[in-house]
């Protein structure tokens, strides 16, 4: 039982860290045909994801203040389910959104369009994934597991997931998988 708990918490944090570091190049590549690879596009994506990451950490900090574990799990479960909606509707496909609701700007500032597209297609799923590590680390610390007093090995799992993706993306993921396959892999990892 104790070993299984370690595996579940560590694996979940590892995968969530992988997802966090995979989404930026994935979404950036999806948006390239619409806006090109200018520094404005990449910088806007970076600021967007960093702001959501900070927001996810703040949310996790505030959520951990709820004294009832049942309420806490209900709130987080509801957010997780809500995050499935944009994945089910768009699945990182910007083309449907660009053709109908939000046409790509050709002569105006592209940053508002880019932020809108990122928020609609990727915002909530990324936000939820960013809450995983801080929430699970706090929840593990509250268990009766012998390692709960010193749960910092979970940070190592998070760092390993991040570094694995940073190294694997340009050498393994990008050459081996199409954008569609990468989006499916990300969605599968999220689920």
């Amino acid at each position: 039982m104790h070993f299984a708990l370690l595996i579940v918490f560590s694996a979940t944090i590892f995968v969530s860290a992988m997802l966090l570091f995979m989404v930026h190049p994935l979404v950036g590549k999806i948006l390239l045909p619409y806006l090109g690879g200018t520094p404005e596009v990449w910088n806007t994506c970076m600021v967007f994801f960093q702001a959501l990451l900070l927001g996810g950490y703040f949310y996790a900090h505030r959520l951990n203040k709820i004294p009832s574990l049942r309420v806490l799990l209900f709130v987080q479960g509801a957010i997780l389910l809500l995050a499935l909606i944009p994945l089910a509707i768009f699945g990182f496909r910007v083309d449907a959104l660009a053709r109908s609701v939000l046409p790509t700007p050709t002569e105006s500032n592209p940053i508002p369009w880019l932020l809108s597209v990122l928020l609609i297609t990727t915002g909530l799923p990324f936000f939820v994934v960013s809450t995983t590590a801080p929430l699970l680390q706090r929840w593990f610390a509250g268990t009766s597991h012998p390692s709960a007093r010193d749960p910092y090995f979970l940070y190592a799992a998070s760092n390993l997931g991040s570094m694995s993706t940073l190294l694997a993306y340009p050498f393994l993921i990008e050459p081996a998988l199409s954008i569609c396959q990468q989006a499916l892999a990300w969605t599968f990892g999220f689920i």
Side-chain angles (χ1 to χ4, degrees), residues 39-159:
E40 292 171 323
V41 174
W42 288 105
N43 290 341
T44 302
C45 287
M46 184 66 76
V47 169
F48 174 81
F49 287 120
Q50 289 299 313
L52 271 185
L53 183 67
L54 184 61
Y57 286 173
F58 178 75
Y59 162 83
H61 172 73
R62 298 300 301 164
L63 191 66
N64 275 324
K65 302 284 186 197
I66 296 174
S68 168
L69 182 61
R70 182 172 293 185
V71 171
L72 192 143
L73 291 174
F74 176 78
V75 170
Q76 186 64 10
I79 298 283
L80 278 165
L81 288 175
L82 280 173
L84 287 172
I85 294 171
L87 287 176
I89 293 173
F90 298 108
F92 295 108
R93 291 181 319 273
V94 176
D95 53 345
L97 196 59
R99 279 195 311 263
S100 60
V101 182
L102 289 170
T104 309
T106 54
E107 295 182 18
S108 63
N109 181 359
I111 292 174
W113 179 86
L114 179 57
L115 290 172
S116 299
V117 167
L118 288 169
L119 189 63
I120 292 168
T121 60
T122 314
L124 193 54
F126 181 85
F127 175 83
V128 170
V129 170
S130 74
T131 68
T132 303
L135 285 175
L136 288 183
Q137 289 163 359
R138 174 68 177 96
W139 295 347
F140 183 79
T143 67
S144 61
H145 192 278
S147 298
R149 292 182 46 147
D150 189 23
Y152 295 102
F153 66 93
L154 294 173
Y155 289 106
S158 177
N159 289 340

